[in-house]
Amino acid sequence: MKSHSRLLGITALCVGLMPLFAHATDVSFSTPNAPKSFSEKLRSASLVMTTAAQQEATAQDLLAAAQADYGRLIGVLYAEGYYGGVIRIRVNGQEAASIPPLRAPTEIAQIDISVDRGTAFTFSTARVAPLPPDTKLPEGFATGNPAKGELVGEATRTGIAAWRASGHAKALVADQTVIADHAVSTLTADIALDPGPRLRFGTLEISNEGDPSRVRPSRIRAIAGLPTGRVFSPEDLEEAATRLRRSGAFRSVVMTEAESPNTDGTLDITTRVTDAERRRIGAGAELASLEGLTLSGFWLHRNLWGGAERLRIDGLIGGIGGDSGGEDYRLGVRYDRPATFTPDTGLFLEARAEGNDEPDYREAKIEIGGGLSHIFSDELSGELGIAYRYSDISDDLGTRKLQHLLFPGSITWDRRNDPLNTTSGIFLEVTLTPFIGLDQESGDGARIYADGRHYRSFGPDDRFVLAGRAQIGSIAGATVDEIPADMLFYSGGAGTVRGQSYQSLGVDIAPSVTVGGRAFAGFSGELRANINDKIQAVAFADTGFIGQDALGTGRGRWHSGAGFGARYFTPVGPIRVDIGTPLGDNVGEDFEIYIGIGQAF
């Protein structure tokens, strides 16, 4: 009786588990005489392979996927130049194409897919005409080459793009002859283009669809800078859209060409813009074991007066709970107006007040100024301005008040693929600031500073990244007591040499007298390795030099640091944690910890 009861229990358990396996479907995929790479392309295109892997897929889903696979697999064959292939897809032994959708089986146990690609076709004719002079069609699109269907489409798009780049905005396909001759396995591809008339840019119309923009139409046109009257160019059209996006006033920008040109040979363009949120706030935090906690935040107002102007207020409190001087304060206001004088030139006005309590000096300053910014290209930009600066300084040289007129200029070349988490590219920024003293205590001179960075990824899936940074600075003209303290150079801390105390390296010009240097050089290197999609390990080494004289002669010293860190990737950028130690006699004895958002450089 006990054995009989146990048998009944096992039987009941098996019956109860049968529904869990009722929808399990075996899928076989064969590609006779095809290389592995070709087979993988077919498998990747198969909807059956994807659907069968889903536990919730029903028999109806699998049948629909099988019937859709005919077209998907034919598309792969045509793209690779096989026009006589045979595709068989059997569902429970029956050809999928012959199964009526309303009579789908309730269960599908087996799907067999077989693809015989047949003979490769070659081009007997490969022509796209007419074409503008010097147009280069895809290299494989030529008589006698494998007749890949994707080459036909690519060659056609290349021809139309070439005509559009020459000003023929309405170029199109006038006629096409594409014939596969199965008897000799050749493909005729003869595409006739109609370039249409050469057109010029007409007016920029502002679409009234949806919510109207708060930015005045005249300002939208000024910012876009559409070159009305100039020969049509897709590049100029995209550049106009880029200017509107770059202004920051719009969440989206869409440019649409008119269906038909005007009788005078111009083509009107319609833009539809959607305003971005008018106000935005943000905050940041960074923690270092010696410098303490730094908190920052900003408030941004877009489209201040209807002309896409921006007003931004920044605040910062640093050195909270730190051991590198006292607390630092900063409050700044900046106003930007795009499209001033030219579509790529912007006007800015700014003012800021700062109080810095650093290890070797205390300084309170006020700076007011303005200038122009200019976008030369997607990678190159620059600024030129003028500012008045008042500084109240207390350091080992005593107490003094300085007044200067500054003429800051900078140029930035940015070819990084992602500013927040760069894996490849180059960044270079050079700043030159001539200054004139406005009283007897303040000297004349010039400060130059350059920051260059290079990134290179390598390994499987670009898992590893080598990042290098070089910083060079020099101040010519005035003596150290005639220059604002924070314009001099110090080394040590998160921005220069990690592992060394913040601004710990200056110039000892006399016993118990330490000031900033007039020359600086810093070099940093990192090896970053992705552990997974979220975590990255980092090893780094930094070194820095501070010199007494502008050319690095006279008194000067080096110091270095190294360590390890980790990055945790988030939607707003990587969260950074670095632990560094100074290199030298006390290596491994002292450690500095840095926590922030974004890569170190």
Side-chain angles (χ1 to χ4, degrees), residues 205-222:
E205 304 291 343
I206 314 300
S207 173
N208 292 320
E209 295 182 11
D211 295 331
S213 174
R214 295 188 181 94
V215 181
R216 298 187 301 274
S218 60
R219 287 294 295 155
I220 294 177
R221 294 187 178 93

Side-chain angles (χ1 to χ4, degrees), residues 498-499 525-527 538-542 561-565 567 578-580 594:
R498 288 163 287 183
E526 287 191 350
L527 173 61
V538 176
F540 63 85
D542 304 332
F564 298 92
R567 311 288 185 261
D578 285 335
I579 301 176
Y594 310 92

Side-chain angles (χ1 to χ4, degrees), residues 356-363 393-395 485-486 490 503:
N356 298 313
D357 192 346
E358 306 297 355
D360 290 327
Y361 68 88
R362 290 191 301 274
E363 179 179 7
I393 304 165
S394 177
D395 58 14
D486 73 346
Y490 292 87
Q503 291 194 355

